[in-house]
Amino acid sequence: MGSCVALFGEVLADVFPDGHILGGAPFNVARHLQGFGLNPVMISRTGNDALREELLAEMNARGMDTSGIQCDPQYPTGQVTVHMDAGGHRFEILPYQAYDYIHAGVTHMLTMSIKPDLVYFGTLAQRNMESRLALDNFLNDARSPRFLDLNLRAPWYDKHTVRRSLLRADIVKMNEDELGALAVLLRLPGKSLPELAMAMLKRFNLKLVVITRGEQGAWQLNASGELQETGPQAMAQPLQDTVGAGDAFAAVYILGHLQGWEASLTLTRANQFASALCAIRGAAPHDLGFYQPFVQEWLS
């Protein structure tokens, strides 16, 4: 089994006009890591409902570790309404979901037992105090690199949450729009995007800032000021939707980081996989054979 990655955060159903698909950024990343042969451990909380049973069935079908999926007797499994717009999508994230109540003590026991090689977290699951306490335990217990996938979802973040998250991260991933929003929120000095990224690196003692640009590619900046980038990637045809493309990028970036790939190669492969995912509906493939060409080319 490959490296262990512990992922903390939301599991939810993306509800489309014609049905629902299991998602949530941490869970999407976990599914991809499993597809690439790593050992992801998802730490989340669901309701005691039909969506929980569907989630566990999918995780079992993929051979994923289910030990971190807590069950809440009161609150439902998370849901997000996805509104499809021309060329993209918009999320309506519902409040008072089970992932807002991840139990700190249970999280502590699990994290201490698995000793992950890398930990992943975001901001959405920090909107409620109980899950924030659980995240504190998670990050304090795991003595491994910390990957922050920012995923700013209005109105479910604030300056305090963003600052706390950045102070605890080693690597942070966001898109260009999110970098612009943080520049205003945190009053970062600089005019160009790389200057803003460097200001963030210095202020929060980060090791890497990774910026995605959709079909235009991605770039990263390290604490020494070294800039690496990958150019435009042809979008998959026919394009189905862009739901989960950022999560696909994050998963391959984590894979490359753990495999020791060079930065430019990691960025190129992450962008390539994110583009390929846009040819299927939803955030992860049902056919696990989707991963095989990438596994054979990258990991054989």
Side-chain angles (χ1 to χ4, degrees):
M1 183 63 73
S3 301
C4 177
V5 179
L7 305 99
F8 180 100
E10 64 273 13
V11 171
L12 45 80
D14 290 322
V15 182
F16 291 85
D18 57 351
H20 70 268
I21 299 175
L22 291 171
F27 181 54
N28 294 338
V29 174
R31 286 189 286 188
H32 295 316
L33 293 177
Q34 184 75 28
F36 287 116
L38 274 65
N39 178 29
V41 179
M42 181 74 215
I43 299 173
S44 190
R45 194 170 180 91
T46 70
N48 187 15
D49 51 29
L51 282 176
R52 174 183 174 82
E53 297 306 316
E54 183 178 337
L55 168 70
L56 294 177
E58 173 161 346
M59 293 182 73
N60 286 324
R62 292 172 180 263
M64 297 177 69
D65 189 325
T66 62
S67 61
I69 305 299
Q70 304 170 17
C71 184
D72 194 286
Q74 180 178 357
Y75 295 98
T77 300
Q79 293 191 37
V80 170
T81 302
V82 183
H83 300 277
M84 305 305 296
D85 303 318
H89 55 275
R90 176 172 57 85
F91 297 105
E92 180 185 353
I93 303 172
L94 303 181
Y96 306 113
Q97 307 291 282
Y99 65 79
D100 293 314
Y101 301 90
I102 300 172
H103 192 278
V106 176
T107 299
H108 167 72
M109 289 188 291
L110 179 64
T111 310
M112 293 297 289
S113 70
I114 61 176
K115 295 180 173 56
D117 298 290
L118 181 142
V119 298
Y120 169 108
F121 69 107
T123 52
L124 180 57
Q126 298 184 56
R127 63 184 185 171
N128 185 64
M129 177 62 73
E130 193 157 349
S131 283
R132 284 201 298 272
L133 291 174
L135 177 62
D136 287 345
N137 278 5
F138 174 70
L139 294 176
N140 290 337
D141 293 336
R143 306 295 183 184
S144 47
R146 300 168 174 183
F147 185 99
L148 168 62
D149 201 352
L150 210 60
N151 282 327
L152 298 181
R153 302 292 186 225
W156 303 115
Y157 71 93
D158 55 28
K159 183 176 181 179
H160 178 66
T161 298
V162 169
R163 284 181 51 82
R164 286 178 78 251
S165 299
L166 290 169
L167 285 167
R168 290 160 169 232
D170 297 307
I171 304 169
V172 58
K173 168 197 159 282
M174 67 192 78
N175 61 38
E176 286 189 333
D177 290 340
E178 288 166 334
L179 178 56
L182 289 193
V184 175
L185 186 69
L186 302 174
R187 298 183 180 180
L188 297 173
K191 295 181 179 179
S192 69
L193 292 178
E195 286 174 345
L196 295 173
M198 178 54 71
M200 187 184 306
L201 277 159
K202 291 181 177 178
R203 183 178 299 182
F204 296 100
N205 196 30
L206 299 163
K207 294 180 179 178
L208 286 167
V209 171
V210 184
I211 307 296
T212 59
R213 305 177 62 216
E215 67 272 18
Q216 295 304 310
W219 54 274
Q220 74 171 45
L221 190 68
N222 67 18
S224 300
E226 296 170 324
L227 180 69
Q228 299 281 347
E229 60 184 325
T230 184
Q233 171 73 41
M235 291 298 289
Q237 297 295 332
L239 175 66
Q240 290 294 320
D241 63 53
T242 59
V243 173
D247 306 329
F249 183 99
V252 175
Y253 190 93
I254 290 170
L255 174 66
H257 182 78
L258 292 173
Q259 292 285 321
W261 298 344
E262 292 184 356
S264 59
L265 181 62
T266 300
L267 292 170
T268 298
R269 288 176 170 177
N271 207 45
Q272 178 187 352
F273 183 69
S275 176
L277 189 79
C278 293
I280 65 173
R281 180 70 180 274
H286 294 294
D287 179 7
L288 300 185
F290 183 87
Y291 297 99
Q292 287 310 303
F294 302 100
V295 170
Q296 290 171 2
E297 180 181 352
W298 300 344
L299 301 174
S300 60

